[in-house]
Amino acid sequence: MDFKKFLPWIIGIGLVLVIVFGIFGWVIGVKNGAMRFSQATEKTWGDVQTSYQRRNDLIGNLVNTVKGAADFEKSTLTAVIEARAKATAITIDPRNISPEQLAQFNSAQSGVSSSLSKLLVSVEQYPELKANQNFLKLQDELASTENQILTARTRFNESVQEYNGYILTMPRSWFLESYKEKAYFQAVEGADKPVEVKF
């Protein structure tokens, strides 16, 4: 049997198989890469939520400490408690983060920050609270936690940037239709305006 006349066919079939398996391997690599980036954004979102949870836990302790001041403004405490409850009621699926969900989450957290800052300003009128060691420690921990929140949000946005850049770039985007673009954490509306300080 003369194999020489089949040699071009064998080489052609071999090349086709190499190309097919090469493309198949590349597509698998693209999908695995998208999964890794998606998992990274979910992990960093978890870090954001952990930071906010820490703040919510500290607020509970802070409110209980402030309640000890018998004549402290009840409406201020109520505003903090309500804002905290509203913020903890919002949940976001990290696999499908939309701009609307983040805006709602951000708005609720902004309400917590606003009511908390009012609480801390009104404490200035209560010397026994300003001297309370538990209160001072909680105040320091809250400041530290706010820095952790900023860091966690920044890392989340970096993770989203990497994920979106990966899934939206051609030709990968042709094979990743099931992966949707994720939203960035934005500043709350009005955050660009200077804060009015009144004494």
Side-chain angles (χ1 to χ4, degrees):
M1 190 175 202
D2 188 13
F3 285 108
K4 287 186 179 176
K5 67 178 182 180
F6 295 110
L7 191 58
W9 285 98
I10 294 170
I11 292 172
I13 291 170
L15 283 174
V16 168
L17 287 174
V18 166
I19 290 169
V20 167
F21 282 117
I23 291 172
F24 184 70
W26 180 81
V27 170
I28 288 174
V30 165
K31 295 218 178 231
N32 287 340
M35 179 57 68
R36 279 192 301 275
F37 282 113
S38 181
Q39 291 294 312
T41 59
E42 290 177 35
K43 186 259 181 209
T44 54
W45 177 250
D47 293 343
V48 169
Q49 288 183 310
T50 299
S51 298
Y52 278 114
Q53 181 62 53
R54 175 173 164 70
R55 179 174 76 168
N56 286 334
D57 293 344
L58 288 171
I59 289 171
N61 293 336
L62 188 73
V63 165
N64 287 335
T65 302
V66 171
K67 276 182 184 174
D71 59 343
F72 194 82
E73 304 158 24
K74 301 293 184 231
S75 61
T76 306
L77 283 175
T78 303
V80 172
I81 293 166
E82 288 174 356
R84 179 179 169 228
K86 182 179 176 187
T88 56
I90 296 174
T91 57
I92 294 179
D93 178 5
R95 289 167 298 206
N96 189 26
I97 296 174
S98 69
E100 296 79 22
Q101 288 175 321
L102 273 183
Q104 185 183 18
F105 181 85
N106 213 9
S107 174
Q109 295 300 336
S110 176
V112 173
S113 297
S114 175
S115 62
L116 186 59
S117 63
K118 287 176 187 168
L119 172 73
L120 294 175
V121 166
S122 61
V123 162
E124 293 299 315
Q125 301 168 19
Y126 297 87
E128 71 278 6
L129 271 175
K130 287 173 34 177
N132 182 311
Q133 290 303 311
N134 284 341
F135 180 80
L136 294 174
K137 184 175 181 240
L138 288 167
Q139 207 172 5
D140 286 344
E141 286 188 41
L142 272 172
S144 170
T145 300
E146 291 298 331
N147 288 332
Q148 289 175 6
I149 289 171
L150 174 62
T151 301
R153 287 171 54 157
T154 301
R155 288 182 181 154
F156 172 75
N157 279 349
E158 290 168 355
S159 175
V160 168
Q161 180 184 18
E162 290 177 4
Y163 167 82
N164 287 345
Y166 186 85
I167 67 155
L168 297 174
T169 306
M170 290 178 62
R172 287 188 293 254
S173 61
W174 298 339
F175 302 96
L176 299 173
E177 308 86 29
S178 62
Y179 288 86
K180 304 298 179 205
E181 184 176 2
K182 294 188 182 191
Y184 290 98
F185 225 120
Q186 304 286 334
V188 291
E189 195 172 322
D192 56 334
K193 296 181 178 70
V195 177
E196 184 180 347
V197 179
K198 294 180 181 176
F199 294 101

